[in-house]
Amino acid sequence: MAINNQVVVALCCLKVAFSLSMTARLVLALGVEAKLDVVQGALEFALPFSTLDDACKVNKKLRTLERMKFGKDSLICVAVVGCGYSGVELAATISERLQDRGIVQAINVETTICPTAPAGNREAALKVLSSRKVQLLLGYFVRCVRRVTDMETSGDATVKREGKDIAESNSEKYVLDLQPAEKGLESQILEADLVLWTVGSKALLPELEPCDKPHELPLNARGQAETDETLRVKGHPRIFAIGDSSSLRDSAGRLLPATAQVAFQQADFAGWNLWAAINNRPLLPFRLEFLTLMMWLRRKSAIKQ
């Protein structure tokens, strides 16, 4: 990827800078990208939702579907994979947009939505999703995503909607094979005109070659740099990492969540610590001040806690 090449170049330049100046420093804040290649067909047929460009593509696809379905009896079927904050916000917003012209189904491997959210946020979000008639499929994981034309349309393999074979439709459709993650649930086949993917991400830090030992970054399984409490990468006192590029634990040993408020607060500490390091002053340990969490659920309302 181009972004990884940029980091390699930056680290090579930093190596030269280190040899010339004691004030050279590097801050890694590259964010993440959607990780769709872990499920068969997701990379080809699902749209991620993590960047502005992703949002524009989703909007364009929805507008195309709205034009195609205008004046017809068939509904627009949207499948949202993942019920974290972004998945819930996305499902609520799209269901409000489509109203009675579409069906939104949200899938989550957990048996609840937003498992890390405060209980008040979760309950309020459930009420909104229920009022918008979003169908929740909890306790399921997606085994694969396939285009209908790639499937056999005879016998039991035929997927039906409202008594009609979806293969008869002129619009391109997709099928999600859902497998239960909890006992007592049965496998399901889900049809959708649009598949939106909000689960899984990978950091954009590169795995450097082992021969580059002086600047090999200690990365965790998610590709984040392990940092100490001052946000310096472990073993590299001149390199800082913040936001999604950083793996930092709180005093209780829990990983800090990958949220905007964590990244914004880390940026302030990193700025101070850069100045402190260059001027031989003590570096400040990062301390997260938990602020209000907010979820945007509809055009004129949001919830916070």
Side-chain angles (χ1 to χ4, degrees):
M1 288 185 299
I3 190 72
N4 280 357
N5 292 335
Q6 293 171 13
V7 176
V8 173
V9 171
L11 290 172
C12 291
C13 292
L14 187 66
K15 182 178 180 180
V16 175
F18 283 169
S19 66
L20 299 176
S21 171
M22 292 299 294
T23 62
R25 299 291 188 278
L26 175 67
V27 178
L28 301 173
L30 299 177
V32 295
E33 68 176 5
K35 190 174 184 179
L36 284 76
D37 55 359
V38 295
V39 172
Q40 180 183 350
L43 186 62
E44 294 85 358
F45 306 127
L47 291 180
F49 194 79
S50 58
T51 67
L52 177 59
D53 185 53
D54 292 338
C56 291
K57 289 179 180 178
V58 171
N59 182 58
K60 181 179 179 181
K61 179 64 175 180
L62 282 172
R63 292 176 64 181
T64 299
L65 289 170
E66 288 166 338
R67 287 195 298 267
M68 291 176 59
K69 304 278 187 175
F70 183 77
K72 299 181 180 179
D73 293 334
S74 57
L75 299 175
I76 298 171
C77 297
V78 179
V80 178
V81 181
C83 290
Y85 277 103
S86 59
V88 168
E89 291 174 335
L90 187 58
T93 303
I94 290 180
S95 63
E96 182 185 26
R97 170 173 174 166
L98 297 179
Q99 297 186 25
D100 58 356
R101 295 172 298 154
I103 298 173
V104 178
Q105 296 170 302
I107 307 152
N108 203 38
V109 70
E110 303 280 352
T111 55
T112 184
I113 66 170
C114 301
T116 61
N121 279 23
R122 191 161 50 247
E123 292 171 6
L126 282 170
K127 289 181 180 179
V128 171
L129 293 178
S130 177
S131 69
R132 299 304 313 153
K133 298 181 181 180
V134 173
Q135 300 176 10
L136 295 176
L137 296 163
L138 304 178
Y140 286 95
F141 67 90
V142 180
R143 188 175 70 86
C144 67
V145 182
R146 290 175 283 183
R147 193 162 43 201
V148 171
T149 53
D150 293 336
M151 297 181 61
E152 297 180 1
T153 56
S154 61
D156 296 335
T158 303
V159 181
K160 297 179 181 293
R161 176 170 63 86
E162 297 178 355
K164 297 181 180 180
D165 293 347
I166 61 175
E168 294 177 2
S169 173
N170 292 326
S171 60
E172 189 173 66
K173 292 182 180 292
Y174 307 97
V175 168
L176 292 82
D177 184 351
L178 305 185
Q179 295 297 316
E182 298 287 333
K183 292 182 179 180
L185 298 176
E186 296 182 355
S187 301
Q188 293 198 42
I189 297 294
L190 189 67
E191 171 203 342
D193 298 292
L194 175 62
V195 181
L196 302 177
W197 205 269
T198 69
V199 294
S201 62
K202 55 184 177 181
L204 294 175
L205 292 179
E207 296 267 7
L208 299 185
E209 293 295 328
C211 60
D212 239 338
K213 289 294 183 181
H215 300 289
E216 184 180 9
L217 301 177
L219 305 179
N220 65 10
R222 296 185 60 188
Q224 299 167 309
E226 297 280 357
T227 60
D228 62 23
E229 61 180 2
T230 65
L231 303 176
R232 291 183 297 186
V233 176
K234 292 180 178 178
H236 300 274
R238 297 193 196 181
I239 303 177
F240 293 78
I242 63 174
D244 293 314
S245 295
S246 170
S247 173
L248 180 63
R249 298 182 181 272
D250 61 19
S251 57
R254 296 167 300 195
L255 279 174
L256 295 180
T259 59
Q261 66 167 292
V262 173
F264 272 104
Q265 292 183 45
Q266 286 180 335
D268 288 337
F269 276 81
W272 170 268
N273 285 342
L274 280 170
W275 176 87
I278 293 171
N279 291 278
N280 297 316
R281 300 286 295 274
L283 275 63
L284 295 177
F286 177 72
R287 293 293 181 265
L288 176 64
E289 181 182 355
F290 185 78
L291 305 175
T292 297
L293 283 175
M294 181 171 289
M295 274 196 288
W296 176 274
L297 296 175
R298 60 178 67 183
R299 200 165 298 169
K300 295 184 179 180
S301 73
I303 58 174
K304 66 178 182 178
Q305 183 150 342

